[in-house]
Amino acid sequence: MKSPNAFSALLDIYISPSKAFNGVEHAKGWSWLAFIAISLVSMASIYIFYSTVDMQFLINEQFAAASVDATIGEQKMIRQSIEQNAGIQVWISMISIVLGTAIIAAIMAVYYMLIAKLDPESEHSYGAWYGFTIWTIMPNIVLNLGTVALVLSASTDQISQTAVFNFDSINQLVVGLEPGSAFYTLLESLKLSSLWGIGLGMVGLKCWTNFSTNKALLFSALPTLVIFGIWAIIAAM
């Protein structure tokens, strides 16, 4: 079975991802709708956060995170830079999230295209794999809707940027390391939404190739395993 149209695929990717990937495989333009949806929800969550948060509180939080190992002179430069850019942070963040999504998808599309060559029957183009990657990023919509819910339900405007944008991180859910810890940034970057994306990648590879479940899972998880494995080794040094 496959999704009959792009709007159905936007729902199916969460409740029946194989239907979404089967529908997307030979469809034209569906992935642009997914990319627009991700971008709009991401930008909306950023705008709502910056429209709500106490800016001085946010500046202090960002300064504390950025100046952990800085000298007094460096601390002055860091605070000055943060304060100077405070007024345009929201626009920088919105542009960065859209460009970042596009760039990550471009890189991962190359990876998937190369991996797919291990299946002699796979003949999908780079553009198809680019669209494929966009659909594996769809958990970001749920993540950003969660951020919006946390911001709007907060009882104060002194809202932690890390707490609301990384609420599904392994660090916040399980470990609880403080800033400055060697593994803090790593575990804040490892999120349930990322693991969800790996699962979607596995399902998509099974739909688009003749890979077994184990092989599809391995190839979907491999970039994350390599990146976080190297990161962990560096952090432990």
Side-chain angles (χ1 to χ4, degrees), residues 107-108 110-112 114-116 118 190 194-195 197-202 205 211 213-231:
I107 295 171
M108 287 302 298
V110 173
Y111 168 76
Y112 281 121
L114 294 175
I115 288 298
L118 297 175
L190 185 58
S194 302
L195 301 180
I198 290 173
L200 290 178
M202 179 197 71
L205 283 173
F211 292 160
T213 299
N214 288 340
K215 186 178 287 189
L217 176 58
L218 172 63
F219 288 145
S220 180
L222 189 58
T224 299
L225 292 174
V226 171
I227 291 170
F228 281 90
I230 295 173
W231 194 345

Side-chain angles (χ1 to χ4, degrees), residues 32-115:
W32 283 111
L33 180 62
F35 179 79
I36 291 170
I38 293 170
S39 299
L40 290 178
V41 175
S42 298
M43 289 190 295
S45 68
I46 291 169
Y47 184 81
I48 290 171
F49 170 75
Y50 278 96
S51 298
T52 305
V53 71
D54 177 340
M55 204 61 203
Q56 191 57 53
F57 174 84
L58 178 61
I59 290 172
N60 291 337
E61 181 187 46
Q62 292 176 341
F63 171 73
S67 62
V68 173
D69 298 318
T71 64
I72 295 178
E74 290 172 338
Q75 288 178 1
K76 291 181 179 179
M77 293 177 62
I78 291 170
R79 176 171 283 279
Q80 184 179 32
S81 176
I82 293 174
E83 290 177 343
Q84 286 178 343
N85 293 320
I88 59 172
Q89 273 194 41
V90 59
W91 307 112
I92 293 174
S93 297
M94 287 196 292
I95 293 171
S96 296
I97 195 67
V98 175
L99 291 179
T101 300
I103 292 170
I104 290 172
I107 295 171
M108 287 302 298
V110 173
Y111 168 76
Y112 281 121
M113 184 177 67
L114 294 175
I115 288 298

Side-chain angles (χ1 to χ4, degrees), residues 1 6 12 23 37 71 77 84 98 108 119 124 155 160 182 186 214 235:
M1 296 180 65
D12 287 336
T71 64
M77 293 177 62
Q84 286 178 343
V98 175
M108 287 302 298
D119 175 12
H124 297 90
S155 58
S160 169
L186 185 154
N214 288 340

Side-chain angles (χ1 to χ4, degrees), residues 4 7 14 27 68 76-77 88 100 120 155 177 188 192 203 227 233:
F7 291 98
Y14 300 112
V68 173
K76 291 181 179 179
M77 293 177 62
I88 59 172
S155 58
L177 295 178
E188 281 290 334
L192 291 184
V203 173
I227 291 170
I233 292 172

Side-chain angles (χ1 to χ4, degrees), residues 176-195:
L177 295 178
E178 294 296 327
S181 171
F183 292 94
Y184 173 79
T185 304
L186 185 154
L187 293 176
E188 281 290 334
S189 301
L190 185 58
K191 304 179 180 182
L192 291 184
S193 53
S194 302
L195 301 180

Side-chain angles (χ1 to χ4, degrees), residues 2 6 10 31 68 81 128 133 135 141 145 164 193 202 232:
K2 64 181 183 179
L10 291 178
S31 298
V68 173
S81 176
T133 304
W135 290 94
I141 289 183
L145 289 176
V164 296
S193 53
M202 179 197 71

